[in-house]
């Protein structure tokens, strides 16, 4: 199954849809932005069980700030150790942080 992974999708999960201004949907009084990620195969199909939605605002946004993280990107860059080994970074607004993607076997649910 791990051999099927070819891409990583990064997407915004939000109830805030004000793309068309006053002509479109109205913004909710309280809106939320989450980060979604999924592993994709060579056909850009989500690999079952690999998608996740995270609230990263709690980790990066201070209580003094009003804005939320949105429109994130996953970037790869060579490390200073070797051009052959790349590191992943998550860029959201002006926050850049290293990322380690690790897939674990699903836990067995007891009945």
């Amino acid at each position: 199954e791990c051999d099927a992974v070819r891409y990583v999708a990064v997407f915004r999960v939000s109830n805030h849809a004000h793309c068309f201004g006053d002509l479109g949907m109205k913004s909710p009084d309280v809106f939320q932005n989450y980060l979604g990620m999924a592993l994709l195969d060579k056909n850009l199909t989500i690999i079952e069980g690999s998608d996740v939605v995270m609230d990263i605002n709690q980790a990066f946004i201070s209580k003094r700030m009003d804005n939320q993280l949105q429109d994130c990107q996953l970037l790869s860059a060579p490390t200073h150790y070797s051009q052959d080994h790349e590191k992943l970074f998550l860029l959201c607004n002006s926050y850049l942080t290293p990322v380690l993607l690790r897939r674990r076997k699903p836990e067995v649910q007891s009945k």
Side-chain angles (χ1 to χ4, degrees):
E1 183 177 273
C2 290
D3 292 335
V5 176
R6 293 291 181 264
Y7 305 98
V8 178
V10 178
F11 46 95
R12 178 178 172 200
V13 179
S14 179
N15 65 340
H16 183 244
H18 197 62
C19 295
F20 300 105
D22 293 335
L23 300 175
M25 299 171 52
K26 299 296 182 196
S27 296
D29 292 334
V30 176
F31 65 90
Q32 299 169 316
N33 288 307
Y34 297 109
L35 172 68
M37 296 180 102
L39 301 177
L40 307 177
D41 66 15
K42 66 180 180 180
N43 299 314
L44 301 178
T45 302
I46 293 176
I47 295 174
E48 187 175 341
S50 74
D51 54 322
V52 63
V53 175
M54 302 166 271
D55 183 359
I56 60 171
N57 294 297
Q58 298 296 321
F60 293 105
I61 300 294
S62 72
K63 293 180 181 178
R64 296 184 307 246
M65 297 176 69
D66 293 334
N67 62 337
Q68 294 187 22
L69 299 176
Q70 53 188 339
D71 300 327
C72 298
Q73 302 174 46
L74 193 62
L75 311 169
S76 64
T79 65
H80 63 279
Y81 298 110
S82 169
Q83 295 294 324
D84 297 331
H85 295 92
E86 293 186 347
K87 188 167 185 98
L88 293 175
F89 293 90
L90 182 66
L91 175 64
C92 297
N93 297 13
S94 61
Y95 295 92
L96 180 71
T97 187
V99 173
L100 174 65
L101 297 179
R102 183 180 304 157
R103 183 121 191 240
R104 297 183 181 175
K105 292 181 182 180
E107 294 182 20
V108 177
Q109 299 281 334
S110 60
K111 292 182 181 182

